[in-house]
């Protein structure tokens, strides 16, 4: 699936604009801006993420626009995460930190090749935001990677644009901007982002410049955006995918019922940890008879495990069904612990679900143990 770039300069799609943020130019109340995304939003590749990353540079620009106002920026970027996990993280990592006036969403690089899952994640984020705060504005940001540096709208960006177009969300296609500079001979992408994904300071500054170009237009330029923020426009009653993660959320590991073989604790000091800046309190066992269960209401449930060098194989049963074995050990596990989401099969209707998990006592040939570390429970 690929689509030729459409409209304007191929970088900015203004759609309904940022009417909430524009109205607040005349006010004096504090503002909250949140950034939800992966490692690029966190600032990976920048020499100093809190000053040189595109998120930090964008926050600094907004502070200059709303001069004299208290402007708080929430960093909800988590490396290696996609929009599905983003929809489940949204309430805890964004809204629990403060109700945003503006949310940037960046997942085009990390989303995979499952169109339905990508739509469910991005649409779930939008619908949660519209429900929790109808007045807040959103912007989709598309960053560059080797897979999307083309003259066409690549798969992930095209899917995100489906959601953006349906809900009137403005988008800034930084990948298209990078591609244009490469074609003009003005940019060497490998010099800018040696690993193909995470830009150095120059690349983060370039992303921030693309975003600033749109913000100047949306906040300070001629106001040609639609003026009616009616609920039916902000949140259509018919979603693109009825299975989207509008009701997605995370529960603490303590919400489950564990067998005596489990203990609650944190990763010991010195243990390597990646893609997680939050507390590591989790339920843990390496006992082959250890197990736990939990109940949630929805269409889908899941886990976030802390996977690492000692991760073993577990099995699950959904609503009393047969047990299915799951091995989440991968090439990243030997080097560090990190959060790994796992979603159980989607159900036809929203209902009470009971999930039972058992440690199998078996392990991948590369693993050093049979550990099962439960960080969060997911529901949607």
């Amino acid at each position: 699936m690929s689509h030729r770039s459409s409209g304007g300069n191929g970088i900015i799609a203004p759609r309904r604009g940022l009417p909430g943020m524009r109205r607040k130019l005349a006010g004096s109340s504090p503002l909250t801006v949140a950034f939800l995304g992966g490692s690029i939003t966190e600032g990976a590749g920048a020499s100093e993420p809190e000053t040189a990353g595109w998120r930090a540079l964008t926050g600094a620009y907004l502070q200059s626009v709303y001069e004299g106002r208290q402007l708080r920026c929430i960093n909800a970027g988590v490396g290696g995460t996609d929009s599905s996990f983003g929809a489940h993280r949204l309430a805890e990592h964004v809204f629990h930190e403060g109700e945003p006036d503006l949310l940037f969403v960046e997942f085009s690089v990390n989303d995979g090749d499952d169109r339905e899952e990508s739509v469910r994640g991005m649409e779930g984020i939008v619908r949660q935001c519209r429900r929790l705060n109808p007045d807040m504005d959103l912007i989709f940001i598309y960053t560059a990677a080797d897979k999307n540096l083309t003259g066409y709208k690549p798969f992930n960006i095209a899917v995100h644009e489906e959601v953006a177009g349906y809900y009137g969300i403005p988008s800034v296609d930084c990948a298209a901007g990078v591609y244009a500079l490469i074609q003009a001979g003005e940019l060497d992408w490998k010099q800018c982002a040696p690993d193909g994904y995470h830009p150095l300071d120059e690349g983060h500054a370039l992303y921030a410049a693309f975003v600033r170009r749109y913000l100047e237009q949306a906040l300070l330029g001629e106001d040609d955006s639609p003026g009616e923020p009616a609920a039916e426009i902000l949140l259509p009653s018919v979603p693109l995918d009825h299975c989207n993660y509008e009701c997605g959320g995370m529960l603490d590991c303590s919400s489950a019922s564990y067998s005596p073989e489990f203990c609650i604790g944190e990763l010991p000091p010195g243990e390597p940890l990646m893609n997680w800046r939050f507390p590591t309190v989790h339920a843990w066992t390496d006992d082959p008879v250890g197990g736990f269960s939990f109940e949630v209401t929805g269409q889908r449930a899941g886990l976030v495990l802390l996977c690492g060098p000692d991760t073993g194989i577990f099995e699950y049963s959904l609503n009393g069904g047969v047990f299915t074995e799951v091995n989440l050990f991968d090439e990243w596990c030997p080097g560090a612990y990190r959060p790994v989401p796992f979603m159980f099969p989607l159900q036809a209707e929203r209902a009470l679900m009971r999930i039972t998990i058992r440690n199998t006592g078996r392990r991948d040939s590369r693993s050093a143990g049979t550990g099962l570390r439960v960080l969060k429970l997911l529901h949607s």
Side-chain angles (χ1 to χ4, degrees):
M1 176 181 178
S2 61
H3 304 286
R4 291 189 181 276
S5 300
S6 60
N9 57 17
I11 299 174
I12 294 170
R15 298 192 173 94
R16 70 179 296 271
L18 304 176
M21 291 294 288
R22 192 178 181 103
R23 287 194 301 270
K24 289 163 187 171
L25 283 168
S28 59
S29 60
L31 297 172
T32 297
V33 178
F35 298 80
L36 180 69
S39 59
I40 299 169
T41 290
E42 271 193 294
S47 59
E48 176 44 64
E50 298 309 314
T51 57
W54 80 266
R55 167 181 53 81
L57 294 170
T58 300
Y61 169 70
L62 286 169
Q63 182 65 80
S64 73
V65 172
Y66 296 89
E67 186 179 5
R69 308 267 289 276
Q70 180 183 342
L71 188 143
R72 181 189 181 200
C73 291
I74 298 172
N75 175 10
V78 174
T81 60
D82 60 14
S83 64
S84 296
F85 192 20
H88 289 85
R89 293 194 296 111
L90 181 65
E92 182 169 324
H93 288 171
V94 174
F95 279 88
H96 283 187
E97 297 297 317
E99 192 168 279
D101 299 282
L102 173 63
L103 176 69
F104 292 85
V105 183
E106 175 268 315
F107 286 113
S108 64
V109 169
N110 285 355
D111 271 8
D113 57 5
D114 185 332
R115 176 192 169 277
E116 287 186 340
E117 191 65 15
S118 188
V119 168
R120 290 169 185 163
M122 295 297 286
E123 183 173 44
I125 291 168
V126 173
R127 294 184 72 88
Q128 279 191 67
C129 289
R130 294 293 189 235
R131 177 168 47 81
L132 294 171
N133 180 8
D135 192 45
M136 73 181 291
D137 293 322
L138 293 90
I139 306 176
F140 288 0
I141 304 296
Y142 311 137
T143 54
D146 291 342
K147 69 177 182 179
N148 61 21
L149 290 175
T150 70
Y152 297 82
K153 287 292 185 190
F155 176 81
N156 294 115
I157 293 176
V159 173
H160 288 196
E161 282 288 86
E162 287 186 59
V163 178
Y166 190 68
Y167 289 95
I169 306 297
S171 61
V172 180
D173 191 344
C174 298
V178 168
Y179 177 77
L181 291 174
I182 293 172
Q183 293 301 108
E186 299 175 16
L187 181 69
D188 183 335
W189 176 240
K190 288 303 180 184
Q191 290 293 320
C192 188
D195 67 356
Y197 295 93
H198 303 103
L200 305 179
D201 288 359
E202 176 190 2
H204 276 282
L206 187 60
Y207 288 167
F210 291 138
V211 174
R212 175 171 177 164
R213 185 187 308 173
Y214 170 64
L215 292 173
E216 289 174 340
Q217 169 187 323
L219 300 176
L220 307 176
E222 293 294 325
D223 186 7
D224 57 358
S225 61
E228 59 276 16
E232 60 268 21
I233 293 176
L234 294 180
L235 187 59
S237 59
V238 178
L240 289 170
D241 190 323
H242 287 278
C243 300
N244 73 77
Y245 300 135
E246 178 181 352
C247 297
M250 294 195 302
L251 301 173
D252 289 339
C253 63
S254 59
S255 300
S257 298
Y258 296 92
S259 68
E261 293 77 22
F262 275 86
C263 62
I264 303 293
E266 298 186 66
L267 283 181
E271 288 286 1
L273 176 68
M274 62 184 291
N275 294 345
W276 196 249
R277 294 174 285 102
F278 307 97
T280 62
V281 176
H282 64 282
W284 176 82
T285 189
D286 61 359
D287 194 308
V289 301
F292 68 97
S293 63
F294 67 99
E295 293 182 348
V296 292
T297 297
Q299 275 191 278
R300 204 165 193 187
L303 302 171
V304 181
L305 300 184
L306 268 181
C307 292
D310 64 351
T311 294
I313 296 171
F314 71 92
E315 58 186 8
Y316 73 89
S317 169
L318 178 60
N319 295 328
V322 297
F323 279 85
T324 301
E325 188 172 282
V326 179
N327 180 6
L328 295 181
F329 198 94
D330 60 18
E331 69 273 18
W332 298 100
C333 285
Y337 289 97
R338 77 188 199 283
V340 177
F342 178 79
M343 300 299 292
F344 304 115
L346 182 71
Q347 303 301 290
E349 302 289 341
R350 290 184 59 81
L352 180 67
M353 292 178 284
R354 180 175 179 82
I355 299 93
T356 302
I357 310 291
R358 300 190 305 210
N359 197 4
T360 66
R362 295 187 293 277
R363 65 185 184 186
D364 188 275
S365 60
R366 299 165 293 176
S367 178
T370 58
L372 177 58
R373 300 178 183 268
V374 184
L375 183 64
K376 297 286 184 178
L377 311 176
L378 302 178
H379 64 89
S380 55

